[in-house]
Amino acid sequence: EALDYTLKHPLIGCGFGNWKLESIPYEAEYANEADVPYHCHNDFLEISTEIGIPGFLLYISLFVVLTLYTAKLLLQSSNDKIANLAFISFLALVAYSFDALLNFPSERTIIQTIFAFIISFIFVLFHFGNGPIKKVENNPTITMSSFSIGFLLFILPTIFLNYNSFISSQAQRTIFPELSIAVPQLPLDQVENAFPSTPNLSYSTIPIKGALSRYYIREKQYDKAMELIIQSQKDNPYLGYHYYLLTS
């Protein structure tokens, strides 16, 4: 299914995190519940569906470059300690690669932290353990200022998105257990402003606006409920959750 989607959308894919949406049409024939396959259980295939073949090739190139670096260290380094560290780092990279082939470590923060450490360690070994250390002359003030500005430009949007996701996850933990009961119990004023504007889907792809519409239905505010239901159809047109809400 992932390969089929990639071949049909080879350039840009469906966007990060959206495979669990685009997998629904493939699985609709087999599943009859609001439960979707969140991941391919293969990071390489999932990345190809989400950012297309160019992104997939860039991701593969990371592993190729790291392998070439460790191979060069093992074959050319005259320092046994450096060679041993390179070999251990390479084993860690192989372990991560097998995990990525059978699971989805890219979604697990702890494993990504370990992966970042592996990458950094291999680069440090290659650049500082593959020959004499060279002193680099530069202007530390300009370097630090440039790095700080670039870092902030890249990190601020990430902080904003992750903070919103965190707030949304907290609200989901409170509200979404009520999806299994016919009439939700929480007060409307406790839930209507609990979610940020992004993300617009729950971890299981249920539209958040659709979940909120149930509280307006309970309060007989049908115009507001219908507005949210229509919007929820756009957020996830594949799940069919809006059809369920329209019958409430």
Side-chain angles (χ1 to χ4, degrees), residues 188 191-193 195-196 200-201 206-218 221-236 241-243 245-246:
L188 177 60
V191 302
E192 61 181 344
N193 296 315
F195 291 92
N200 56 11
L201 297 175
I206 291 178
I208 290 172
K209 293 174 184 175
L212 291 177
S213 71
R214 300 176 72 236
Y215 296 89
Y216 289 97
I217 293 172
R218 183 195 64 194
Q221 298 184 29
Y222 298 119
D223 290 341
K224 180 64 176 180
M226 183 62 70
E227 177 186 346
L228 292 174
I229 291 171
I230 293 173
Q231 292 175 359
S232 74
Q233 179 182 1
K234 298 177 182 178
D235 294 340
N236 186 348
Y241 187 62
H242 58 286
Y243 290 125
L245 294 171
L246 288 172

Side-chain angles (χ1 to χ4, degrees), residues 25-186:
Y26 289 102
E27 293 293 316
E29 183 179 348
Y30 312 104
N32 58 3
E33 299 177 357
D35 222 2
V36 303
Y38 305 145
H39 305 291
C40 293
H41 280 267
N42 184 312
D43 270 353
F44 298 98
L45 290 178
E46 185 163 339
I47 282 177
S48 71
T49 66
E50 293 182 345
I51 56 177
I53 293 176
F56 167 77
L57 294 175
L58 283 173
Y59 186 63
I60 287 288
S61 70
L62 174 62
F63 292 85
V64 172
V65 169
L66 292 173
T67 301
L68 292 176
Y69 275 22
T70 51
K72 188 172 181 179
L73 281 168
L74 290 172
L75 295 174
Q76 298 182 5
S77 179
S78 57
N79 189 321
D80 291 340
K81 291 183 179 180
I82 294 295
N84 289 336
L85 289 172
F87 182 66
I88 293 171
S89 301
F90 180 68
L91 291 180
L93 179 65
V94 170
Y96 180 89
S97 301
F98 273 99
D99 191 20
L101 284 169
L102 302 171
N103 209 334
F104 42 94
S106 64
E107 299 291 332
R108 306 182 189 279
T109 305
I110 294 176
I111 299 180
Q112 285 306 289
T113 302
I114 296 172
F115 186 41
F117 179 80
I118 293 170
I119 295 172
S120 303
F121 202 65
I122 291 175
F123 274 111
V124 167
L125 286 175
F126 182 80
H127 287 290
F128 295 103
N130 196 36
I133 298 177
K134 299 179 180 179
K135 185 178 180 180
V136 179
E137 299 291 343
N138 57 18
N139 188 323
T141 303
I142 296 177
T143 301
M144 288 303 298
S145 299
S146 301
F147 176 81
S148 300
I149 294 172
F151 178 79
L152 286 174
L153 288 175
F154 280 105
I155 203 67
L156 287 177
T158 303
I159 292 174
F160 174 77
L161 291 173
N162 279 278
Y163 176 75
N164 279 358
S165 296
F166 175 70
I167 297 299
S168 178
S169 296
Q170 286 184 312
Q172 289 178 48
R173 185 177 179 87
T174 302
I175 294 172
F176 276 69
E178 295 201 326
L179 291 177
S180 59
I181 59 178
V183 180
Q185 302 299 313
L186 290 173

